[in-house]
Amino acid sequence: MGLEKETGDTKIFMAEDSFGRPGGPALAGPEAPRDPHGLNTHLKLGFEDVLAEPASFHSFDKVWICSHALFELSKYALYKLLTLFLAIPLALVAGIVFAVLSCLHIW
């Protein structure tokens, strides 16, 4: 709590490959497994499970690639849209309910 005259030298060393590419997504690396012990393997749903075609009757490659891209894009957009329109109002309602319950509990 006095005047300190010393200066500290701090250096941070990071590997070059730990920096993301400029303009790329921040978390572009391989994702960590969300279920490392395999407890919920029955809940995993992939593109082939939703739009299933028998292996002998696949569509043309371009159609299959476009439908896969559309599926992934719509899944991502729907998740963001539902988060925007449901998560914020539900958080507000939950906050009001807990505030009212706290007030009633205190008084």
Side-chain angles (χ1 to χ4, degrees):
M1 289 284 200
L3 295 175
E4 296 181 12
K5 305 278 183 176
E6 297 179 22
T7 59
D9 293 331
T10 304
K11 295 181 181 178
I12 298 175
F13 296 100
M14 296 180 73
E16 290 295 324
D17 59 350
S18 66
F19 293 110
R21 287 183 280 157
L27 300 174
E31 296 181 9
R34 295 182 66 183
D35 189 15
H37 301 294
L39 298 175
N40 296 315
T41 55
H42 62 285
L43 297 177
K44 293 185 180 178
L45 185 66
F47 172 71
E48 292 80 14
D49 298 330
V50 175
L51 299 176
E53 290 183 340
S56 60
F57 294 107
H58 272 293
S59 301
F60 297 114
D61 286 338
K62 297 291 183 184
V63 173
W64 189 253
I65 291 170
C66 289
S67 62
H68 186 270
L70 184 63
F71 170 76
E72 290 294 327
L73 182 66
S74 62
K75 182 175 72 168
Y76 175 76
L78 186 65
Y79 173 76
K80 292 295 182 182
L81 191 68
L82 287 176
T83 301
L84 178 68
F85 289 117
L86 292 179
I88 295 172
L90 286 179
L92 183 65
V93 168
I96 291 171
V97 167
F98 287 131
V100 168
L101 288 176
S102 299
C103 185
L104 292 175
H105 181 72
I106 292 171
W107 293 97

